Every structure is written in C-alpha cells, then in structure tokens.
Amino acid sequence: MTRFNCILAACLLAPCATAAPLTFDAYLAAVEKNSLELQAQQESITSAKAGIGIAGLRPDPEFTLGATRETVRSAGHRPITWNPAISMAIETGGKRAARLKAAHSNVALAEETVAGFRSELYGNAAAAFTDACRTREVLARRELTMAALSKVVEANAVRRKAGDVGGIELLQSRVERDQFQAELAQARSEADSAMLALSPPLGRQFDTLFPDAQLACDFAAYENKDARVLVAQALDARSDVRIARATLDNLRDGAALVRANRAVDPTVTLGLAAARGYHDGIDASGNRVDESPRSRALSLSLAIPIPLSRRDKGDVVQAAAGVTQAMLALRQAELQVETQVRTAQRQLRAAQDRLARYRDGVLVDTQKVVDGIRLSYFSGNASLLEWLAAQRSADEAYQAYVQARADAAIASTQLQLALGQRPSL
C-alpha cells in the first residue's frame, strides 16, 4: 500500500473509532422496517385480504310485510290481514366459489405488487448509500489535497524568507490554496447532501436512527455467473415477471367470475297470510256478513328471471381480451428480463474491469508521480506549476477511481435486482 493510501485509510477510519460502521445490510433492514412508502403499499394487501370475506358473502334475505284491512263493520274493530314474507335469491353457476377464487388471486397480485415496490425501494436505497460513500471519499481526498497545498504555502513562506523562492511563487501557491477551498466547500456540501438523501427511504431522519454512524463502504465484488443460469433464476424470482403471472391468474379468475355471473339467480319467497276472524256484522253496503274464524295461509313461490340480456356477450369478450393482454404482457416481461439480465451482467463486467485498471495501475502510478515531483519541488528541481499539474492529475484519477467503485457497486446492485435478489454491497 502506498503512503497516500495509508494516510487516506487512516483518515477514513479515524471517525469510526467512536461509532460502529453502518453496513448496507443494516441500513437496508432499517429501510424495510421504517419506510413509510412501503407501509402504505402494504395496506393494499390488507385491503385485498378483506375482499376474501366480502367475496364469501351470500345474498341477504329480504323481508316484506303487507297489511290489508277489511271493510266489515264489526262490533269491535275492522280486522286486518297481515302478509309477512321472506325471500332470498339462490346463487347458481358457482358464483360464490368464483368470487372467492378471484379474491384469493387478488391477494396474490397485491403481495407481488408490494414485492415489486420493495425491489424498487432496494434500488433507491442502494443508490443513496453508494452515493454517500462516493461523496465521502471524494471529500476525504480533497481534504488531503487541501492539507498538502497548505503545507506547500507554509514551506514557500519559509523559503521566501530564506530567499529560495520569489514572492510571485508564494502568491501563486496561496492563490491555488484559496481557490481549492471553494472546491473543498463544494465537496463538503455534496457529502452532506448525500447523507441527507439517506433519510427518505428510511421514512425518518437518518441521524434519528443512526446517530453519529459512519458508513461501511467496503463493497464486495459480486460473482458473475453464466448468463443462462442467471436468466433462469431471474425468470423465477423477478418481481415484474411474478406480477405479470399474478395479473394473468387474477384476470383468468375474473373471466371465470364473469361467466359465472351470467347464470340467472331464481328467487324463492316464503309467505304467510294471517287473517283475523270477526263477528257477525254489516258490510259497507248494508249487507249482513256472517262470522268468520281466524285463518292462516302459507305460500311458497319461485321467481326465475328471463335472461334476455344474456344474449349480449360483451362482458365475456372483454374478460377474454384482458386475459389475452395479460398473456402478451407476461411474454414481454420474460423477454425484458432476459435482456436486462444480460445487459446488467455486461455492465457489471465492464465496471469491474474499469475499477481494476484504476486500482491496480492508475492510482499507484499517479501517486508516485505526485510524490516524486513534490520531493523535486522542495529540492528545487521542479516548478510549482509542475507539482500543481501532477496534483490535479492525481486528484482527477482518484475521483475517477471513486466513481468507478460507485459504478461497480451500482452495477452489482442492478444485476442482483435484475435477478430478483435482495441486494448486498
């Protein structure tokens, strides 16, 4: 390890002495537990499960009560005949079973939809965590560069008094240091903003759950397997494919329910006519009416609708069209999965190759150049401009290396998500 890498490692690890590093797995577990958006999505599962009970309900019986009053003038009162009746529609065609099956498939669809949203949440959380690590490392590098520039200014001030350098060179070193302070402030602002961006996936402020936490940014390399194995794995686990399959099952059950609903439902009515008796009397026309005893009459009737409206099969055609659309959407999703897995695999391989070039060659060489020109500058064998140019080149190379690390981490996350896995960094 070079001297610069040792200093950078010490700079990055020093704050961790007071707080345990926060790993991505711990952050992702907190996101799953506390995400407000995920909790809102899970309410759709609760609603869908309530639909199972609704689907199992049978038609309510209907109670009717009628009354008729006799026109007989009796000594006591005019008798009233009560006609209570209870009626109930009898479901045919397996409507209740079809509703229950459709309700269960709707629950499965809701669960797969929430799983798909959780996968998107994983991707957002991984991107936020990776960017926070990247900006933190960029800030650490700029702080080291700022310290090096400050040392050069201090050394030039001493050499100016000794007459080794002129005033212009001292002023130039000060100008470079002061200008770099603006870049340092920008890097600090970006690092702070990236840390704040960790809060939305959590559903609360990051500092509330993880006070004084330092991110563990040692990303592990993801093993790149054979594409055919990965595609087969993705077709079984990908949330969008599972959603497409659940949608197809739900629409098929919905089509079966439409066909079941075309069966007519007869209505059975059970009634009772209760007539109270009355004494001898005279009716409204003045005719004598003989005494009548109390009577009870039980009636049973069956009403069957005439299904003239069933001649139109528009609802069946619409349901069948929805099923066809879902089948085509499933095939499209499976094709997209294969394409996305192969693309993510190639992107990961390219990102890992780029990272290896910076880590194993560019960083080491640029740092050797900076160290050599710095020694030559202090010994008077190199100019300030040469050292500044080397320092800028080294800073740019390191920032490119940090970006390559972030790109490799994101590519790893995208491949894992493309496979339907819970991502790890």
Side-chain angles (χ1 to χ4, degrees):
M1 183 180 289
T2 64
R3 178 176 175 273
F4 166 75
N5 289 335
C6 292
I7 295 174
L8 180 60
C11 178
L12 294 179
L13 296 177
C16 299
T18 58
L22 175 64
T23 63
F24 176 70
D25 288 339
Y27 172 71
L28 199 57
V31 168
E32 287 184 281
K33 181 180 179 181
N34 299 285
S35 173
L36 298 178
E37 292 178 317
L38 183 58
Q39 292 175 16
Q41 290 290 325
Q42 288 172 340
E43 290 299 317
S44 63
I45 299 178
T46 303
S47 176
K49 288 182 178 179
I52 296 177
I54 297 173
L57 296 176
R58 298 182 184 275
D60 291 327
E62 182 179 356
F63 176 77
T64 59
L65 178 63
T68 58
R69 194 169 194 178
E70 298 287 351
T71 60
V72 176
R73 301 176 182 271
S74 63
H77 61 277
R78 296 181 181 180
I80 299 176
T81 300
W82 296 96
N83 299 283
I86 186 168
S87 60
M88 183 175 180
I90 306 300
E91 288 188 316
T92 60
K95 292 184 178 66
R96 183 173 180 272
R99 286 199 306 270
L100 287 172
K101 188 175 181 182
H104 281 287
S105 65
N106 191 44
V107 172
L109 176 58
E111 291 174 344
E112 295 299 340
T113 302
V114 172
F117 179 83
R118 185 182 291 109
S119 179
E120 294 180 6
L121 188 63
Y122 289 160
N124 295 335
F129 194 91
T130 303
D131 193 56
C133 289
R134 181 189 65 81
T135 54
R136 188 191 70 176
E137 294 182 7
V138 170
L139 175 61
R141 172 69 187 205
R142 292 189 180 277
E143 287 175 343
L144 288 177
T145 302
M146 186 65 192
L149 287 172
S150 298
K151 289 181 179 179
V152 169
V153 172
E154 294 173 359
N156 283 343
V158 174
R159 296 172 66 190
R160 174 71 176 85
K161 293 180 181 179
D164 293 337
V165 296
I168 298 298
E169 191 166 355
L170 175 59
L171 288 176
Q172 186 175 11
S173 62
R174 287 177 179 174
V175 169
E176 292 290 338
R177 181 197 61 185
D178 295 341
Q179 287 181 337
F180 195 79
Q181 284 180 341
E183 298 182 16
L184 179 61
Q186 178 66 26
R188 187 173 289 111
S189 174
E190 291 177 356
D192 292 340
S193 299
M195 290 298 294
L196 291 175
L198 294 173
S199 298
L202 284 172
R204 61 184 63 188
Q205 292 298 324
F206 179 82
D207 294 339
T208 303
L209 289 177
F210 305 105
D212 301 325
Q214 296 294 323
L215 305 183
C217 298
D218 296 329
F219 302 143
Y222 184 78
E223 182 181 358
N224 219 337
K225 300 180 182 178
D226 182 74
R228 289 174 295 180
V229 177
L230 296 181
V231 169
Q233 179 182 346
L235 290 176
D236 290 334
R238 271 283 291 268
S239 59
D240 50 352
V241 175
R242 295 176 67 91
I243 290 174
R245 289 172 181 165
T247 301
L248 177 58
D249 293 339
N250 183 249
L251 289 175
R252 281 174 173 169
D253 293 339
L257 179 58
V258 169
R259 291 191 294 270
N261 285 335
R262 293 180 63 84
V264 297
D265 295 336
T267 301
V268 178
T269 303
L270 179 64
L272 176 67
R276 298 184 61 180
Y278 51 85
H279 300 289
D280 294 340
I282 300 173
D283 62 12
S285 301
N287 299 320
R288 179 181 177 82
V289 178
D290 295 332
E291 179 181 1
S292 175
R294 183 177 60 180
S295 66
R296 298 284 189 273
L298 186 65
S299 64
L300 179 65
S301 63
L302 177 66
I304 301 178
I306 300 176
L308 297 178
S309 62
R310 299 296 190 268
R311 298 177 62 184
D312 183 85
K313 298 183 178 181
D315 52 350
V316 176
V317 174
Q318 288 179 340
V323 172
T324 303
Q325 287 178 334
M327 293 176 61
L328 296 174
L330 175 58
R331 294 176 185 174
Q332 180 67 22
E334 292 174 344
L335 179 61
Q336 287 180 347
V337 164
E338 182 175 359
T339 303
Q340 290 174 1
V341 168
R342 294 181 182 277
T343 301
Q345 189 181 32
R346 286 174 171 79
Q347 290 177 345
L348 176 59
R349 186 179 295 112
Q352 289 175 339
D353 292 343
R354 180 167 174 261
L355 175 61
R357 289 180 180 275
Y358 276 101
R359 182 183 58 239
D360 301 334
V362 177
L363 281 185
V364 176
D365 293 341
T366 55
Q367 192 58 41
K368 287 180 179 179
V369 171
V370 170
D371 292 340
I373 293 182
R374 181 189 298 114
L375 293 177
S376 298
Y377 173 69
F378 286 122
S379 62
N381 296 324
S383 66
L384 177 62
L385 293 178
E386 290 175 327
W387 180 81
L388 291 175
Q391 186 64 51
R392 290 193 191 96
S393 178
D395 289 344
E396 291 174 357
Y398 186 79
Q399 291 182 38
Y401 160 72
V402 171
Q403 185 63 52
R405 282 193 64 197
D407 292 342
I410 291 297
S412 173
T413 300
Q414 293 300 321
L415 178 57
Q416 294 174 70
L417 291 175
L419 297 175
Q421 297 177 352
R422 185 179 187 273
S424 60
L425 295 176

